[in-house]
Amino acid sequence: MTENTQQSNHSAPELPTQYTPADVEGPLYERWVERGYFEADEKSDKPPYTIVIPPPNVTGSLHLGHAFEHTLIDALTRRKRMQGYETLWQPGMDHAGIATQNVVERELAKEGVSRHDLGREAFVERVWQWKGESGGQISGQMRRLGDGVAWSRERFTMDEGLSKSVQTIFKRLYDDELIYRAERIINWCPRCLTAISDIEVEYQDDEGELVSIRYGEGDASIVVATTRAETMLGDTAVAVHPEDERYAHLVGTEIELPLTGRRIPVVADEHVDPEFGTGAVKVTPAHDPNDFEIGRRHDLPNLAVLDERGVITAHGPFQGLDRFEARSAIVGALRAEGRIVSEKRPYTHSVGHCSRCKTTIEPRLSMQWWVKVGPLAKAAGDAVRDGKVKIHPKEMESRYFGWVDNLHDWCISRQLWWGHRIPVWYGPNGEVVCVGPDDEAPTGEGWTQDTDVLDTWFSSGLWPFSTLGWPEQTPSVEKFYPNAVLVTGYDILFFWVARMMMFGLYAMDGTPPFHTIALHGMVRDQFGKKMSKSFGNAVNPLDWMDSYGSDAVRFTLARGANPGVDVPIGEDWVQGSRNFANKIWNATRFALMNGATVEGELPPAEQLSATDRWILSRLNSVVAEVDAYYDDYQFAKLSDTLFHFAWDEVFDWYVELSKTTFMAGGPAADASRRVLGEVLDVTLRLLHPIVPFVTETLWTTLTGGESVVIADWPKDSGFRDEAAEREIETVQQVVTEVRRFRSDQGLQPGQKVPAQLELSGTALAAHEAAMRSLLRLQPAGEDFSATASLPVAGARVALDLSGTIDVEAERKRLTKDLGAAEKEKAQATAKLGNEAFLAKAPEKVVDKIRGRLEAAEADIVRITAQLAALPQA
């Protein structure tokens, strides 16, 4: 039915009575690595399959988001490896400029030293030392999770090869006039003393104040509102909408700016919303991105009044005050002059904070390096529109287009010491020279290199090809570029993904960095709340791995992974996955004890029982379903399919139905042992990419093969037997109905009951022994007297319940339940028949009552049947 896998003759394999993940996982992983299973050979003639790891920060540690993403990528690459692809899962870490510099600066502070005391060169040396000693603990944690990465190819965004890639593309972009230096508004962190990218800004609702201030006097006055009163010292205009008649007489005139003695113009600009507030806004071009654009359109001066630490620099009584101290002082001064029209506090509004140090971000005019993203972003958008790159799920495309079609130029310079230093030199006479990796830097008196480093996203944007040796046309570039798929969270679709698309298309002659972008959601707690240390709901996945095993954590995460949707997870779900691993273990152990084998060919279908043919038919259907789900990145659905097939169909039905066959012995038992071996072999291989450790142990024990990591991925042989499936479905129906009846009658699961099975004329006769075993039904003796009779699926099951239950007590209980159900039906019927009620009641209420009526009617049918089945007095 399915192809043979690596096998060897072996006898009576045994497994421990219990599965203990801690004893298995570590040694297994090291064995996989030592045998080189995860390495990739560019000389191989196998088709390539490449995925890069979204490089974690060198300062980071494994959190549930990492564990989730890594589980999905590992599942994809393990399956492709089994399918015969030359698979490369590229590992590595990001140098994480700001985060790493902050860590090392904190270490220095403990010694009473600053980076300035060391100097740039010595500080960078110290960071490299920290990286060697303390950085990268996440690598060990990835091993705990079972990540099948090519460790020999591990890269770091600051290593020599990647540094050459960064310098090469900077030089090319510069020469193509796609990199330039200009003064613009940027996100500035007064604590880290650097520009930061949009993704490094975290917005949260802060309580502040909204102050309305009157500028000018009398008819020549305008009221503006602001949450940042301290920036008014840098105002160079007031703007109104061109069609706002209230201020038409003021446009083109000047009004007095309070506290400063300066006069500023009133300008008309369509950016202003006349419906918002007073319809007039203060314009501070040096401290607000929108104001900067208004200033450019109206040729306004840029007046900076805050320094890099957020301290007031404007001359006057506020000079030297911190921005927040100045805010209070300026409002007080304006109030004293009678210029405060209104004050609203607390006023809750969204405020940007540095993701590293949580300091409030200050928009600041600054000379920085920029990438002109227009043509690069257009190429990134066209690649998706033209079908070169597919975004999955497709509904995420609109978010992608909404971003790349409206990208602003990208600020790539950072005022740090740790990172890729900008390869530009300035000469004594104003010369500017960009130096490529093969160029000699200018020397001589007066030549200095730019002091800034590049945004971390600049180097990580090159990750899909810089890790392969680009700019050299290496065998790895030839073999493994582009990537098959990028698996990442939708939260960085706009940042890392867009950067890689732009750089990949630019550097690699129009070839995008990946064929598919598969987006997943964020991991949340079981209540759907974002996980955070501040919320007290953050989970260290290593703790769960210690308690339940890595397979349990992986299976829980995969089972919740619907494309583009957030993933709720709770510890009880991980416990359930641990139980599943134990179920696989115990069922395989039972199968081995009963002679399950993969030796020899499967018997032809005509020599197999209906039970054997049923499970093989279902097995092939499941192989086809799982393949389709993998190809559609439906991890939750494929995990759920495997869970229910393994637990419900294989372990709870096939194994149980086969027990009587094994006990009877003979050719039928031998055939079933071979079928059971086949089903377990294929099921374990199907499960392996998600739960690699337990499946490796069980599969190698069952088959004697070297490793399931390099075993063949199962193929659908096309075998189907609909008749056998219908037959076993009938058996399941009978067993389920009788079990339900036994439960309704209060019988214990193990309690045996005499019964007659009237199965003649049905396909059930061949399954009588198995059904009696599953239902705990004893043969009917000479004194058998049927007290209950159940017609099910064309058969009849007669039971003698005398002596097993208190018939009168059971009749009283059921009669009481029947009365309650009839009362519920009557009440619901009356409400639904009341036209006045239906006219006023909300649709949801009416639907709820309809549901109550349906439930009551079903209860009446069920209880009436139970009463009829009770022995008569």
Side-chain angles (χ1 to χ4, degrees):
M1 300 299 169
T2 59
E3 62 194 287
N4 288 332
T5 57
Q6 301 167 352
Q7 302 169 14
S8 64
N9 292 319
H10 59 292
S11 59
E14 292 185 4
L15 290 167
T17 55
Q18 289 185 322
Y19 176 53
T20 309
D23 295 342
V24 171
E25 293 175 350
L28 262 189
Y29 187 84
E30 291 310 313
R31 191 182 313 151
W32 290 335
V33 173
E34 288 167 7
R35 292 179 178 178
Y37 293 155
F38 304 141
E39 295 302 324
D41 181 7
E42 60 263 19
K43 297 177 183 177
S44 166
D45 58 2
K46 297 178 181 178
Y49 185 81
T50 314
I51 297 183
V52 294
I53 187 175
N57 288 352
V58 66
T59 58
S61 60
L62 193 75
H63 56 65
L64 266 181
H66 288 128
F68 172 56
E69 188 167 79
H70 289 204
T71 294
L72 305 187
I73 299 174
D74 197 38
L76 290 173
T77 52
R78 284 180 182 269
R79 172 177 175 256
K80 285 296 182 180
R81 189 178 293 112
M82 295 171 75
Q83 286 182 316
Y85 286 78
E86 192 61 37
T87 303
L88 170 60
W89 183 11
Q90 174 67 55
M93 287 183 292
D94 191 285
H95 65 278
I98 295 177
T100 306
Q101 180 155 320
N102 282 348
V103 167
V104 177
E105 286 197 79
R106 284 196 295 269
E107 293 294 317
L108 289 174
K110 294 175 185 176
E111 303 169 15
V113 179
S114 76
R115 64 182 167 111
H116 299 285
D117 294 327
L118 292 181
R120 184 169 193 144
E121 188 175 332
F123 176 76
V124 170
E125 210 172 288
R126 181 66 179 264
V127 180
W128 277 108
Q129 180 185 336
W130 174 87
K131 190 256 180 187
E133 294 172 356
S134 307
Q137 62 171 311
I138 200 168
S139 296
Q141 296 165 340
M142 288 166 59
R143 292 171 182 264
R144 282 287 312 277
L145 188 65
D147 286 3
V149 299
W151 287 112
S152 70
R153 292 173 174 264
E154 186 174 12
R155 303 304 299 268
F156 180 55
T157 50
M158 284 283 286
D159 68 28
E160 184 178 350
L162 270 66
S163 294
K164 183 177 182 181
S165 299
V166 168
Q167 197 172 351
T168 299
I169 202 161
F170 187 99
K171 171 70 170 170
R172 291 188 185 179
L173 289 164
Y174 182 87
D175 290 345
D176 287 345
E177 298 183 348
L178 292 172
I179 281 183
Y180 63 95
R181 192 168 185 244
E183 200 173 38
R184 298 278 189 278
I185 292 285
I186 43 86
N187 300 309
W188 181 266
C189 176
R191 156 62 183 80
C192 299
L193 299 180
T194 181
I196 65 174
S197 67
D198 291 339
I199 197 170
E200 292 164 324
V201 179
E202 292 180 348
Y203 287 90
Q204 65 185 48
D205 287 341
D206 286 359
E207 285 192 356
E209 60 182 353
L210 181 66
V211 182
S212 295
I213 309 167
R214 179 172 52 82
Y215 288 14
E217 303 292 342
D219 291 338
S221 67
I222 291 182
V223 175
V224 299
T226 181
T227 59
R228 303 171 66 221
E230 69 279 7
T231 64
M232 68 158 290
L233 300 177
D235 286 0
T236 56
V238 170
V240 298
H241 195 273
E243 298 176 5
D244 194 333
E245 295 181 359
R246 292 172 296 176
Y247 305 115
H249 66 290
L250 292 176
V251 173
T253 68
E254 291 186 341
I255 59 173
E256 184 179 342
L257 178 66
L259 305 181
T260 67
R262 289 191 291 113
R263 294 185 68 79
I264 58 176
V266 177
V267 300
D269 194 280
E270 292 189 352
H271 169 75
V272 180
D273 180 359
E275 304 297 325
F276 183 77
T278 64
V281 296
K282 57 191 288 298
V283 182
T284 321
H287 295 283
D288 183 274
N290 293 321
D291 293 4
F292 178 77
E293 294 302 324
I294 293 175
R296 291 179 67 181
R297 288 192 288 271
H298 298 277
D299 198 24
L300 300 174
N302 301 316
L303 182 59
V305 295
L306 290 166
D307 70 9
E308 61 183 9
R309 296 184 184 275
V311 174
I312 297 292
T313 59
H315 292 297
F318 311 109
Q319 187 175 11
L321 292 180
D322 172 80
R323 53 186 168 156
F324 300 118
E325 296 172 334
R327 181 177 300 172
S328 177
I330 288 170
V331 171
L334 290 167
R335 190 184 299 114
E337 289 191 3
R339 292 192 172 275
I340 299 297
V341 176
S342 66
E343 297 177 69
K344 183 177 181 180
R345 65 167 67 88
Y347 178 72
T348 302
H349 60 130
S350 181
V351 178
H353 295 260
C354 175
S355 63
R356 304 302 177 190
C357 67
K358 311 309 176 187
T359 300
T360 300
I361 289 301
E362 191 64 45
R364 185 168 186 260
L365 187 64
S366 179
M367 182 67 76
Q368 302 286 344
W369 285 95
W370 303 81
V371 171
K372 187 184 295 182
V373 300
L376 302 175
K378 182 180 184 303
D382 290 346
V384 175
R385 289 189 174 93
D386 298 344
K388 286 184 180 179
V389 179
K390 290 182 171 58
I391 293 179
H392 186 85
K394 189 173 177 60
E395 53 265 28
M396 287 285 182
E397 280 187 3
S398 59
R399 296 180 65 175
Y400 175 78
F401 293 136
W403 179 257
V404 298
D405 293 348
N406 297 283
L407 268 179
H408 299 295
D409 285 0
W410 171 22
C411 175
I412 56 172
S413 45
R414 300 291 179 266
Q415 290 63 57
L416 303 171
W417 287 356
W418 173 244
H420 295 102
R421 194 165 174 180
I422 288 177
V424 172
W425 271 255
Y426 305 106
N429 300 311
E431 303 95 332
V432 179
V433 176
C434 182
V435 176
D438 300 321
D439 300 333
E440 290 290 333
T443 57
E445 187 176 349
W447 282 93
T448 59
Q449 185 178 358
D450 195 298
T451 57
D452 288 352
V453 300
L454 287 164
D455 177 11
T456 299
W457 295 100
F458 191 95
S459 51
S460 61
L462 312 178
W463 192 247
F465 50 92
S466 64
T467 51
L468 301 174
W470 186 90
E472 307 303 325
Q473 193 63 19
T474 64
S476 289
V477 171
E478 292 278 358
K479 180 73 174 180
F480 296 114
Y481 186 89
N483 284 203
V485 60
L486 173 73
V487 179
T488 192
Y490 62 68
D491 58 325
I492 57 174
L493 171 64
F494 314 132
F495 304 103
W496 186 48
V497 179
R499 308 299 191 233
M500 286 190 291
M501 285 286 283
M502 290 191 297
F503 281 164
L505 290 160
Y506 173 78
M508 306 302 285
D509 299 321
T511 302
F514 19 74
H515 299 303
T516 301
I517 302 168
L519 298 170
H520 58 73
M522 305 295 103
V523 178
R524 298 181 177 272
D525 70 13
Q526 64 266 46
F527 306 109
K529 190 174 182 180
K530 179 182 177 181
M531 284 193 173
S532 165
K533 289 181 181 178
S534 61
F535 295 155
N537 63 350
V539 173
N540 183 346
L542 295 176
D543 293 340
W544 281 353
M545 289 184 213
D546 290 340
S547 299
Y548 308 110
S550 298
D551 284 333
V553 174
R554 290 171 61 114
F555 192 73
T556 304
L557 291 165
R559 205 172 176 194
N562 290 298
V565 178
D566 288 346
V567 183
I569 185 172
E571 187 167 3
D572 54 337
W573 302 341
V574 185
Q575 292 173 352
S577 296
R578 185 269 316 272
N579 295 343
F580 179 53
N582 289 340
K583 182 79 170 182
I584 301 170
W585 183 273
N586 293 332
T588 305
R589 184 170 178 271
F590 167 84
L592 291 170
M593 291 170 61
N594 283 274
T597 181
V598 295
E599 302 294 344
E601 296 294 325
L602 278 171
E606 59 271 16
Q607 295 179 16
L608 297 176
S609 68
T611 306
D612 292 336
R613 286 181 279 113
W614 160 71
I615 198 62
L616 289 173
S617 181
R618 287 292 305 127
L619 178 68
N620 279 285
S621 294
V622 166
V623 170
E625 288 174 35
V626 168
D627 274 335
Y629 287 140
Y630 261 117
D631 292 342
D632 199 34
Y633 305 100
Q634 298 280 359
F635 296 97
K637 290 181 178 179
L638 73 89
S639 299
D640 214 46
T641 296
L642 287 170
F643 174 87
H644 287 294
F645 176 69
W647 191 306
D648 300 342
E649 297 186 79
V650 178
F651 304 147
D652 280 357
W653 282 108
Y654 181 71
V655 169
E656 293 299 320
L657 287 170
S658 299
K659 282 182 178 178
T660 53
T661 305
F662 294 149
M663 291 175 63
D670 291 339
S672 291
R673 291 187 181 100
R674 179 64 187 89
V675 170
L676 179 55
E678 181 79 5
V679 171
L680 286 174
D681 168 22
V682 173
T683 302
L684 291 170
R685 283 187 278 150
L686 289 173
L687 282 165
H688 172 72
I690 305 292
V691 285
F693 294 107
V694 66
T695 51
E696 170 80 338
T697 306
L698 295 175
W699 187 86
T700 52
T701 303
L702 171 71
T703 68
E706 179 185 335
S707 173
V708 69
V709 176
I710 55 171
D712 292 331
W713 182 252
K715 292 180 180 177
D716 174 12
S717 70
F719 175 78
R720 301 290 190 278
D721 192 323
E722 293 181 5
E725 290 194 35
R726 287 195 299 271
E727 185 172 325
I728 300 305
E729 284 171 7
T730 305
V731 172
Q732 292 171 329
Q733 184 182 352
V734 172
V735 170
T736 300
E737 286 298 318
V738 176
R739 278 177 172 168
R740 183 180 294 120
F741 177 77
R742 285 176 56 106
S743 176
D744 289 341
Q745 301 306 316
L747 296 176
Q748 295 301 313
Q751 190 173 355
K752 294 185 177 181
V753 177
Q756 285 181 342
L757 274 64
E758 299 175 16
L759 309 175
S760 59
T762 72
L764 297 171
H767 305 282
E768 180 171 352
M771 291 165 64
R772 283 186 176 276
S773 175
L774 289 169
L775 292 168
R776 304 294 190 268
L777 301 180
Q778 294 176 322
E782 293 181 2
D783 58 346
F784 175 81
S785 176
T787 59
S789 181
L790 299 176
V792 186
R796 183 172 295 275
V797 180
L799 303 99
D800 181 1
L801 302 180
S802 58
T804 60
I805 60 172
D806 185 334
V807 176
E808 281 309 309
E810 185 65 12
R811 182 173 282 112
K812 287 181 180 179
R813 182 184 72 81
L814 290 172
T815 301
K816 181 180 178 182
D817 290 348
L818 181 61
E822 289 173 336
K823 182 178 179 181
E824 174 75 4
K825 177 184 176 181
Q827 291 175 342
T829 301
K831 283 190 175 182
L832 293 173
N834 185 334
E835 294 296 335
F837 169 77
L838 292 176
K840 295 180 180 179
E843 188 63 30
K844 286 185 179 179
V845 173
V846 176
D847 287 344
K848 188 175 181 181
I849 293 172
R850 289 194 185 105
R852 283 168 49 192
L853 176 60
E854 291 175 6
E857 290 174 337
D859 285 344
I860 290 169
V861 172
R862 176 178 57 82
I863 297 168
T864 301
Q866 291 173 13
L867 282 166
L870 283 175
Q872 300 302 309

